[in-house]
Amino acid sequence: MTALDDDKPTPRGDLTLQIIPLPADTNANGDVFAGWLVKQMDLAAATMAGRISQGRNATVAMDRMEFLSPLRVGSQVGCYCELVDIGRSSMKISVEVWTLDRTAKHPRKVTEGLFVYVAIDEHGRIREVPEQNL
């Protein structure tokens, strides 16, 4: 992105999960629970981690979470994932959440976070991530 594109932000990464929050996903004030959104982000990032690790993985950390704007019921929510770093057994995945409100013409960024996963075997022990062909 260049300085000329600052007025047209776009998601970083691949669209990994799309979902629509329903009234049951809200708190007593009618706002979508932050926990619901974190769950969707974890599902999206875990999907990417599973593809990279070619098997089971476990969430070991959420290293940053910033909520930029509220999420509305009925909006189309997209989780975009990008592999940031890969270690011997771990993967850092950035997740951006963008939403398209029912009456909006342009999507807006809702939140972002950094999730860390570790590859595990069928017994829950840490294992190496297979070599990647990037």
Side-chain angles (χ1 to χ4, degrees):
M1 188 176 346
T2 68
L4 298 175
D5 297 325
D6 286 346
D7 62 335
K8 302 174 197 159
T10 57
R12 287 186 340 232
D14 298 324
L15 179 61
T16 309
L17 179 72
Q18 264 187 313
I19 193 163
I20 296 175
L22 302 173
D25 303 317
T26 62
N27 60 25
N29 297 319
D31 300 320
V32 174
F33 281 114
W36 179 88
L37 190 53
V38 171
K39 175 184 173 182
Q40 307 313 315
M41 295 170 74
D42 192 23
L43 284 170
T47 299
M48 177 174 268
R51 289 184 193 137
I52 295 164
S53 69
Q54 298 174 17
R56 291 180 64 190
N57 58 79
T59 310
V60 294
M62 292 186 300
D63 186 26
R64 190 181 71 248
M65 186 70 56
E66 299 174 18
F67 294 97
L68 307 172
S69 64
L71 181 58
R72 297 180 179 95
V73 168
S75 299
Q76 182 178 337
V77 177
C79 295
Y80 294 81
C81 296
E82 179 179 46
L83 178 64
V84 174
D85 190 26
I86 190 165
R88 190 180 69 76
S89 61
S90 64
M91 298 151 281
K92 288 184 180 178
I93 299 172
S94 172
V95 181
E96 286 190 0
V97 178
W98 288 70
T99 185
L100 183 60
D101 297 331
R102 288 183 283 185
T103 58
K105 292 184 180 180
H106 302 288
R108 64 185 168 83
K109 188 174 178 181
V110 175
T111 188
E112 65 180 277
L114 184 65
F115 290 71
V116 181
Y117 293 84
V118 67
I120 57 174
D121 65 16
E122 62 276 0
H123 304 290
R125 293 186 298 254
I126 295 175
R127 65 176 173 86
E128 288 188 30
V129 174
E131 188 172 322
Q132 304 298 300
N133 297 324
L134 303 175

